[in-house]
């Protein structure tokens, strides 16, 4: 429920100083949460350091390639093309907004959807049909929550820039130029602009997806996708494992939704079953398409998946998910997709619904069954 419970808090830290990786200092930061009662530091410092070194190496590769580009074409040319790319993105977004305003004969479009806890995400878009600029006004969005799915404004900006790039319908590089025509109103201390000490770990993986749903709904682009990344973690004092689980993709005017895929602003892939069972003390009992979970319509929404895991020793398993109460919406007469379900099946055969957000202990013989949401259908069947 608080930011300090989510691990190391890094506002700003120079990871490489005078060409030296600051291993000792960053290690101290990663272990520092254990100073807070009830918290613990990182359980796998070696992997953390390896990930950070890999990111440093990637940055160095980017620097090298950019310098090679400057050597080949000259600094002025490279900077000019960077500006051209941003200008092109800005023009593409402005043209899309003008076209939407003209086709729908309106300068305003609105949408609202609710999180599973009932918190509304409200959006009103005011478009200037002459310039193609727009105001994205999230007034009316519910207050921040006593939970971890609050989303800092950067999450809203990212969700909007992603949505705009999709709506443009052209193959343009994602860049800041997409937001040049856009201004924002995000109420302070709301779900999308919480206080500095609010819990936010779920905002980037849950609320971001729901913001995209609302933006695409406002522009009547397509039905809702699963609206979730189904974040599953399990482990004990010795290890931790994290994965995100796919679901259904929303249908649109001229396409059917895909089944069993990640959607919108995420790029994660799941661990292969053979690798999962070899490296971790679990059995993957089922991983299949959840037939019939997508909404019907002229174009059908994609189906979710079923993923069932059995621990081989006592483990703590945690699920952070959405769309367990509010169905992914259909559009233009299409049916809603089915909600997801998170079930604990005990070794005695008892099935327990653990809800959308839960952390619980599983013993040998128990199973955790995740049924991810389907997606909405589009158009009347």
């Amino acid at each position: 429920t608080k930011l300090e419970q989510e691990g190391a808090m890094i506002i700003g830290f120079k990871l490489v100083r005078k060409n030296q990786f600051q291993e000792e200092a960053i290690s101290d930061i990663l272990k520092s949460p254990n100073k807070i009662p009830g918290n613990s530091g990182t359980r796998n410092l070696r992997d953390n350091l390896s990930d950070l070194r890999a990111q440093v190496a990637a940055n160095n590769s980017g620097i090298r390639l950019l310098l090679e580009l400057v050597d080949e074409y000259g600094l002025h040319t490279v900077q000019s093309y960077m500006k051209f790319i941003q200008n092109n993105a800005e023009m593409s977004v402005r043209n899309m907004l003008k076209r939407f305003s003209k086709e729908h004969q309106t300068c305003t479009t609105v949408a609202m959807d609710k999180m599973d806890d009932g918190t509304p995400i409200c959006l009103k878009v005011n478009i200037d049909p002459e310039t193609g600029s727009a105001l994205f006004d999230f007034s009316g969005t519910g207050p921040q929550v006593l939970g971890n799915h609050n989303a800092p404004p950067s999450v809203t900006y990212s969700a909007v820039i992603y949505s705009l790039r999709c709506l443009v319908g052209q193959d343009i590089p994602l860049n800041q130029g997409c937001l040049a025509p856009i201004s924002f109103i995000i109420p302070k201390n709301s779900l999308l602009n919480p206080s500095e000490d609010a819990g936010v770990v779920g905002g980037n993986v849950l609320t971001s997806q729901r913001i995209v749903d609302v933006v695409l709904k406002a522009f009547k682009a397509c039905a809702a996708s699963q609206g979730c990344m189904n974040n599953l973690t399990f482990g004990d004092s010795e290890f931790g494992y994290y994965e995100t689980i796919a679901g259904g993709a929303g249908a649109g005017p001229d396409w059917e939704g895909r089944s069993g895929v990640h959607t919108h602003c995420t790029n994660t892939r799941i661990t292969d079953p053979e690798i999962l069972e070899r490296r971790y003390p679990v059995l993957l009992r089922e991983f299949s398409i959840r037939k019939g979970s997508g909404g019907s319509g002229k174009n059908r929404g994609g189906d979710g998946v079923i993923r069932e895991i059995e621990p081989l020793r006592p483990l703590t398993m945690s699920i952070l998910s959405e769309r367990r109460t509010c169905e992914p919406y259909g559009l233009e007469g299409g049916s809603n997709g089915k909600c997801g379900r998170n079930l604990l099946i005990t070794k005695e055969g008892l099935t327990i619904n653990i809800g959308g957000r839960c952390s619980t202990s599983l013993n040998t013989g128990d199973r955790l069954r995740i049924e991810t949401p389907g997606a909405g259908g589009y158009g009347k069947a």
Side-chain angles (χ1 to χ4, degrees), residues 191-252:
L191 179 72
L192 306 184
N193 190 4
S195 60
E196 292 184 354
D197 61 347
V200 295
V201 70
N204 194 44
V205 292
L206 296 182
T207 311
S208 61
Q209 294 279 341
R210 305 303 303 280
I211 298 170
V212 172
D213 284 345
V214 172
V215 175
L216 296 181
K217 186 178 184 180
F219 284 92
K220 305 173 178 59
C222 62
S225 295
Q226 68 161 334
C228 178
M229 288 171 59
N230 306 291
N231 304 267
L232 173 65
T233 63
F234 60 79
D236 54 23
S237 60
E238 297 180 7
F239 81 97
Y241 172 81
Y242 170 50
E243 68 180 22
T244 59
I245 308 173

Side-chain angles (χ1 to χ4, degrees), residues 110-313:
V110 298
M112 188 276 289
D113 203 1
K114 291 184 178 181
M115 303 286 287
D116 278 352
D117 66 358
T119 301
I121 299 177
C122 301
L123 173 62
K124 180 179 181 180
V125 183
N126 294 315
I127 302 170
D128 185 331
E130 299 298 323
T131 65
S133 59
L135 171 65
F136 279 60
D137 186 354
F138 289 90
S139 297
T141 295
Q144 71 180 60
V145 297
L146 189 64
N148 60 17
H149 55 282
N150 300 291
S154 58
V155 172
T156 298
Y157 302 150
S158 296
V160 169
I161 195 174
Y162 162 83
S163 301
L164 291 173
R165 187 192 184 202
C166 293
L167 292 165
V168 161
Q170 299 177 26
D171 188 11
I172 63 172
L174 185 62
N175 65 83
Q176 188 66 20
C178 294
L179 286 185
I182 310 301
S183 54
F184 291 87
I185 295 177
I186 309 176
K188 192 173 181 180
N189 297 327
S190 70
L191 179 72
L192 306 184
N193 190 4
S195 60
E196 292 184 354
D197 61 347
V200 295
V201 70
N204 194 44
V205 292
L206 296 182
T207 311
S208 61
Q209 294 279 341
R210 305 303 303 280
I211 298 170
V212 172
D213 284 345
V214 172
V215 175
L216 296 181
K217 186 178 184 180
F219 284 92
K220 305 173 178 59
C222 62
S225 295
Q226 68 161 334
C228 178
M229 288 171 59
N230 306 291
N231 304 267
L232 173 65
T233 63
F234 60 79
D236 54 23
S237 60
E238 297 180 7
F239 81 97
Y241 172 81
Y242 170 50
E243 68 180 22
T244 59
I245 308 173
D254 53 8
W255 74 85
E256 296 207 334
R258 296 285 297 276
S259 298
V261 294
H262 263 312
T263 53
H264 300 317
C265 35
T266 178
N267 62 356
T268 53
R269 299 180 67 181
I270 205 161
T271 306
D272 292 333
E274 298 82 0
I275 301 298
L276 176 69
E277 294 184 341
R278 181 177 180 181
R279 294 183 179 177
Y280 301 97
V282 296
L283 288 177
L284 182 59
R285 288 297 188 185
E286 182 176 353
F287 191 29
S288 63
I289 297 295
R290 187 185 174 202
K291 299 289 187 181
S293 55
S296 61
K298 176 185 175 183
N299 293 319
R300 187 175 182 83
D303 290 328
V305 304
I306 298 171
R307 190 164 175 87
E308 190 171 301
I309 297 175
E310 177 182 339
L312 297 179
R313 72 187 199 214

Side-chain angles (χ1 to χ4, degrees), residues 93-112:
V93 170
R94 289 187 185 277
N95 288 339
M96 180 276 294
L97 292 168
K98 290 177 183 178
R99 185 168 61 251
F100 177 86
S101 179
K102 182 177 180 180
E103 289 177 357
H104 295 273
Q105 297 183 337
T106 183
C107 297
T108 303
T109 183
V110 298
M112 188 276 289

Side-chain angles (χ1 to χ4, degrees), residues 283 285-286 307-311 317 343-352 354 362-370:
L283 288 177
R285 288 297 188 185
E286 182 176 353
R307 190 164 175 87
E308 190 171 301
I309 297 175
E310 177 182 339
M317 291 192 172
L343 305 174
L344 168 61
I345 305 172
T346 69
K347 60 184 177 182
E348 294 81 17
L350 180 64
T351 299
I352 304 169
I354 63 173
L362 270 70
N363 294 312
T364 304
D366 295 339
R367 287 170 287 148
L368 184 65
R369 181 181 177 91
I370 309 298

Side-chain angles (χ1 to χ4, degrees), residues 328-350:
Y329 62 78
L331 208 60
E332 299 297 330
S335 298
N336 294 344
K338 287 186 178 179
C339 288
R341 296 197 304 172
N342 305 325
L343 305 174
L344 168 61
I345 305 172
T346 69
K347 60 184 177 182
E348 294 81 17
L350 180 64

